Structure formats: structure tokens, C-alpha cells
């Protein structure tokens, strides 16, 4: 049996072989020194009791309150979603059997794609294993198929979009975040007859701000560009049926390609794109990230389908989510905790230092049973390290009061700077 020697050291007389393990360990040690090394807390969510979870430390367990979940509406715990998944397991078994190119379609994924197409008012939709893959594969494929294409990308776009643009090998132009003048300026330098895609997000998950979708659509039409809108942090939570910010703003029909996830507000897993049938068929036929990956299992598709259908009918969860976020902002302002006062459901609390951000999270968990994770570089720029707090409809007033009281206490203990006056964000 052949084995690969990873480190040679003294056994390598000529010293020519790299010490692979030492090099890789050095990369990790650097994160530790900067205070950016991540430790994943083991905890088990309690069915029917979200956002409570049981933290595991050796043989001990204790209940903690989760404040950083992307299960924004608690749909991962919804009885109807869980029941749909159980029934699909009994009807279809556990897996999908492979890629759709080889194994074909199963009923739940066909029904899910139809539902997603209707949700966004598009002729077709295509489901991927995750949202990251949906962005990467779609942008890479569009940039490769459209001749002489240039992709104009917001500078704060998600890593999956950036990777998709790079993989496409199309020319790229980066416009300043939500800067319409800069976008217009870049487009003025491109011939109208050239293929162009404007790629941007609706809700930006680290700052919680929202793109001027209607204005971007107008600019795109003026210059003959396709629009590609990532609604990952908006689907399920905005608009009359949960189709996202574009629906809320009345411009959903003007977006050429919308991308979303089933892993956040819908509480399951998977990603998708919805668009004209010719666009969907081109992606289905040419995207390596679709062709060579197994389909989501029937139970996952069935759970996602139940969640999408529920949130298309019910606005109760959306209304509660935004009320909770507004109350959290008021409490933070009253304690002079610096935060970005953005118009979305995301509440970023700014710490500004990686080591102190981790220390704050450690103290909140250890002393107050409150679970938050530090958000550090490269997710956000250095010096803007933060907590990203997400209040769900299932966080009650008592939990919210406890969070802000504990946060203010730890803030003082760590001698972090408060906002200058009550009512001011960071």
C-alpha cells in the first residue's frame, strides 16, 4: 500500500520536501494570534423550543439562547415542515439516488421548482444543493455562455457570487456598494450591444442594508443589461407572499434572474434560481455545479415545499420578525450599544476588534448562556468586527431584555466604547 509522507524533516537529507503539516498549521496559528480562530460550539436545537438549544461541553449539557441563527422565522421547527419531511422519508426513502442527469427527477423536487417559479412570477426555476452553489454555478455559466460578456458586481456581493464571476472568466467590473452613479458610469463605457449582467443582492447580510432595486433595474434597461438579484436574505421575509424585497417594492417582474435559498427563512437546505425558461434550460444543460452534483433528497424538497407554501399564505411570521428587530434596536439604543441602524431584519452590533469580539461572545456564552458568534475578517473588513444578531418571531420580550442586559454588562466589563448618546447607533 502506498502512503504519502506529509512531513520529512530530518529524514529528508537534501531538505527539498516542503513540511506540509507545518505550513498548514502555521496558517491556523496565524488565525489564533489574530483572535480570528473559530471554535464551533456543539449544541442541539430542541424541537418545538427554538431558539433554545442544548450546549454540549464534555458530558455536560446546558440550555442556551441562540441569537445568531439564519433560521430567521423558525421554520426549521415548524410542525408542517417536519411532517412533510417525515412523510417523504416514508414514501421515497432517504436519498435522491444521484445526479438528476442520471437518476432523473423525483416528485417533490418537480413540485418545489414549480412552486418557486410561481413564487417569483417566473416561467421556470432550478433547485441546487445549496445557495452558494446556485450563485457560483449560475453566474459562472452565464458569463461563459454569453459571448464577450461583462459582469458588473456590487463590491459587497457574497463570496459565492464573487467566485461565480471569477469562474466564468468573463470580464468583471466592480461598482461601489449601492452606488448608482458609479454603476451608471461603468455602463456608459460599454457598448449597448455587448452582453452585460448586473449582479447584486437585495439584503446585504453583514450590514443589513438594502439595495435600490428599482433604480438598478432602470439603469439596466437603459443600457441593455440583464439583472441578477440575490434575494437569499429576503425570500420568505419580504413582500406580500415572501418573494423578497423586489416583490415588496413592486419590481419583481423587472428582474431577469432571481436567486434564493431554502436554508434561511424557509428553514431547510438548498438554493435555487428562477427566470425565463430559456435561461433555466441553459443553466440546467451547461452548469457543471448542477450537472455533476446529486439532487437534494425527496425529504428535503418536500420540507422546503411545505415551508414555501406556508409562507406564501401567511404574513404573520414576517410581521413578527420585523417587529422583533425594531424592538431590539430600541433596546440597544437605550443602552448605548453601537449598532448599524439598517432597514432590514439584521442587527449588526459593532465591536471593531477581532480578539475583543471573541472575548465578548465567550463571556456571553459562559456567564449568560447566550450564544452569538463573532463575525471577523474576511467576512467583514478589519476594524469592523461585529456580532450579527437576528431576532426571530420566537424570541420573546423576556429573552430580548435578558440579551440586552447581558450585552451591556459584558460591554462594560470589557471596556468597550459605548455610543455617545442614548438613541444613537454606531
Amino acid at each position: 500500500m502506498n502512503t504519502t509522507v506529509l512531513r520529512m524533516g530530518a529524514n529528508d537529507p537534501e531538505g527539498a520536501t516542503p513540511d506540509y503539516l507545518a505550513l498548514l498549521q502555521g496558517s491556523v496559528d496565524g488565525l489564533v494570534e489574530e483572535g480570528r480562530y473559530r471554535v464551533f460550539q456543539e449544541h442541539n436545537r430542541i424541537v418545538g423550543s427554538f431558539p433554545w438549544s442544548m450546549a454540549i461541553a464534555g458530558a455536560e449539557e446546558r440550555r442556551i439562547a441562540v441569537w445568531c441563527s439564519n433560521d430567521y422565522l423558525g421554520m426549521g421547527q415548524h410542525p408542517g415542515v417536519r411532517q412533510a419531511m417525515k412523510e417523504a422519508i416514508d414514501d421515497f426513502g432517504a436519498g435522491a439516488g444521484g445526479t438528476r442527469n442520471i437518476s432523473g427527477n423525483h416528485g417533490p423536487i418537480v413540485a418545489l421548482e414549480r412552486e418557486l417559479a410561481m413564487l417569483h412570477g417566473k416561467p421556470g426555476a432550478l433547485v441546487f444543493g445549496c445557495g452558494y452553489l446556485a450563485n457560483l454555478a449560475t453566474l459562472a455559466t452565464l458569463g461563459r455562455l454569453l459571448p464577450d460578456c461583462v459582469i458588473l458586481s456590487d463590491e459587497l456581493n457574497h463570496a459565492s457570487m464573487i467566485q461565480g464571476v471569477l469562474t466564468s472568466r468573463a470580464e468583471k467590473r466592480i461598482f461601489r456598494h449601492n452606488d448608482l452613479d458609479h454603476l451608471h458610469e461603468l455602463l456608459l463605457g460599454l457598448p449597448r450591444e455587448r452582453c452585460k449582467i448586473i449582479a447584486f443582492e437585495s439584503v446585504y447580510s453583514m450590514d443589513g442594508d438594502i439595495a435600490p432595486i428599482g433604480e438598478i433595474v432602470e439603469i439596466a434597461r437603459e443600457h441593455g443589461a440583464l439583472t441578477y438579484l440575490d434575494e437569499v436574505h429576503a425570500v420568505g421575509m419580504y413582500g406580500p407572499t415572501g418573494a423578497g424585497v423586489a416583490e415588496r417594492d413592486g419590481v419583481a417582474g423587472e428582474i431577469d434572474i432571481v436567486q434564493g435559498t431554502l436554508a434561511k427563512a424557509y428553514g431547510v437546505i438548498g438554493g435555487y434560481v428562477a427566470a425565463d425558461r430559456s435561461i433555466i434550460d441553459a443553466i440546467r444543460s451547461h452548469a457543471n455545479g448542477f450537472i455533476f452534483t446529486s439532487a437534494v433528497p425527496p425529504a428535503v424538497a418536500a420540507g422546503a415545499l411545505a415551508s414555501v407554501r406556508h409562507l406564501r399564505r401567511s404574513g404573520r411570521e414576517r410581521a413578527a420578525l420585523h417587529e422583533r428587530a425594531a424592538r431590539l434596536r430600541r433596546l440597544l439604543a437605550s443602552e448605548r450599544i453601537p449598532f448599524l441602524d439598517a432597514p432590514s431584519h439584521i442587527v449588526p452590533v459593532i465591536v471593531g476588534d477581532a480578539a475583543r469580539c471573541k472575548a465578548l461572545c465567550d463571556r456571553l456564552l459562559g456567564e449568560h448562556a447566550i450564544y452569538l458568534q463573532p463575525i471577523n475578517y474576511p467576512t467583514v473588513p478589519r476594524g469592523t468586527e461585529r456580532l450579527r444578531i437576528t431576532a426571530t418571531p420566537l424570541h420573546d420580550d423576556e429573552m430580548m431584555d435578558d440579551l440586552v442586559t447581558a450585552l451591556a454588562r459584558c460591554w462594560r466589563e470589557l471596556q468597550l466604547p459605548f455610543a455617545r448618546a442614548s438613541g444613537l447607533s454606531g
Side-chain angles (χ1 to χ4, degrees):
M1 181 177 68
N2 292 329
T3 59
T4 301
V5 179
L6 291 180
R7 50 190 308 160
M8 300 295 291
N11 294 326
D12 184 8
E14 298 185 11
T17 303
D19 190 339
Y20 297 106
L21 295 183
L23 291 169
L24 294 172
Q25 185 60 48
S27 72
V28 175
D29 292 342
L31 296 178
V32 174
E33 291 173 6
E34 292 181 38
R36 294 196 293 121
Y37 181 73
R38 295 187 180 275
V39 177
F40 297 156
Q41 172 67 51
E42 181 183 355
H43 66 98
N44 297 318
R45 302 205 302 176
I46 307 167
V47 172
S49 297
F50 179 77
W52 295 109
S53 189
M54 295 301 295
I56 312 298
E60 297 183 0
E61 295 183 351
R62 66 170 179 145
R63 193 173 76 155
I64 61 173
V66 177
W67 281 95
C68 53
S69 175
N70 281 343
D71 189 357
Y72 292 128
L73 301 176
M75 291 300 294
Q77 303 278 305
H78 192 278
V81 174
R82 292 188 284 115
Q83 185 62 31
M85 297 185 77
K86 291 175 185 176
E87 291 176 0
I89 285 281
D90 290 339
D91 289 344
F92 302 103
T99 68
R100 292 166 74 177
N101 275 30
I102 294 174
S103 297
N105 288 332
H106 52 73
I109 204 168
V110 172
L112 175 59
E113 288 177 342
R114 287 174 181 160
E115 191 75 19
L116 291 168
M118 288 189 292
L119 171 69
H120 292 288
K122 302 298 182 188
L126 190 67
V127 168
F128 291 80
C130 66
Y132 192 105
L133 185 58
N135 265 336
L136 192 162
T138 302
L139 284 169
T141 302
L142 291 173
R144 179 166 51 89
L145 293 180
L146 295 173
D148 195 27
C149 183
V150 57
I151 302 177
L152 299 101
S153 177
D154 188 288
E155 67 177 339
L156 294 189
N157 276 345
H158 190 264
S160 58
M161 300 175 76
I162 295 170
Q163 189 65 46
V165 174
L166 292 174
T167 304
S168 75
R169 298 187 179 180
E171 182 182 347
K172 67 177 185 297
R173 304 281 180 92
I174 309 300
F175 61 93
R176 292 186 293 270
H177 178 54
N178 282 347
D179 190 328
L180 299 175
D181 290 337
H182 191 212
L183 174 61
H184 185 69
E185 178 186 331
L186 292 175
L187 285 164
L188 283 173
L190 299 170
R192 183 177 177 81
E193 63 272 15
R194 187 174 179 186
C195 292
K196 299 173 285 293
I197 302 170
I198 302 173
F200 63 110
E201 302 180 37
S202 58
V203 176
Y204 287 84
S205 64
M206 289 301 116
D207 288 351
D209 57 337
I210 295 178
I213 300 175
E215 291 88 339
I216 291 176
V217 165
E218 290 179 7
I219 292 174
R221 294 296 172 261
E222 179 183 348
H223 294 277
L226 287 175
T227 48
Y228 182 98
L229 176 62
D230 177 320
E231 290 256 36
V232 159
H233 292 276
V235 289
M237 295 172 285
Y238 296 81
T241 67
V245 177
E247 182 190 41
R248 184 200 70 178
D249 293 351
V251 294
E254 302 300 315
I255 298 297
D256 295 302
I257 306 152
V258 61
Q259 184 265 349
T261 185
L262 304 166
K264 294 181 170 60
Y266 294 123
V268 193
I269 189 68
Y272 66 90
V273 290
D276 187 88
R277 289 191 191 281
S278 60
I279 295 175
I280 295 299
D281 203 22
I283 298 165
R284 183 187 69 85
S285 301
H286 291 280
N288 289 343
F290 176 83
I291 294 169
F292 297 105
T293 57
S294 293
V296 297
V300 170
L305 176 61
S307 186
V308 173
R309 283 177 172 169
H310 174 82
L311 290 174
R312 286 188 72 191
R313 297 189 302 266
S314 172
R316 178 175 56 85
E317 294 85 357
R318 282 187 285 280
L321 172 75
H322 296 295
E323 183 277 328
R324 293 285 81 188
R327 185 175 192 271
L328 176 58
R329 289 189 179 93
R330 290 195 300 271
L331 291 176
L332 292 171
S334 70
E335 292 288 346
R336 298 192 298 115
I337 303 294
F339 66 95
L340 298 181
D341 194 7
S344 74
H345 60 284
I346 296 167
V347 183
V349 169
I350 304 301
V351 179
D353 177 83
R356 297 170 90 186
C357 196
K358 184 179 186 308
L360 177 61
C361 291
D362 289 345
R363 189 165 295 210
L364 286 168
L365 181 62
E367 298 178 9
H368 302 280
I370 289 171
Y371 179 65
L372 281 162
Q373 278 282 47
I375 306 295
N376 296 327
Y377 176 85
T379 307
V380 296
R382 297 181 193 275
T384 69
E385 291 81 2
R386 66 197 63 185
L387 310 180
R388 181 182 174 276
I389 305 179
T390 52
T392 75
L394 302 176
H395 287 92
D396 61 27
D397 285 356
E398 182 179 359
M399 295 179 72
M400 196 170 289
D401 293 341
D402 289 344
L403 166 70
V404 175
T405 298
L407 189 56
R409 177 179 172 180
C410 293
W411 209 269
R412 286 190 293 271
E413 291 171 350
L414 292 171
Q415 298 183 331
L416 293 168
F418 285 88
R420 282 173 235 153
S422 178
L424 293 180
S425 57

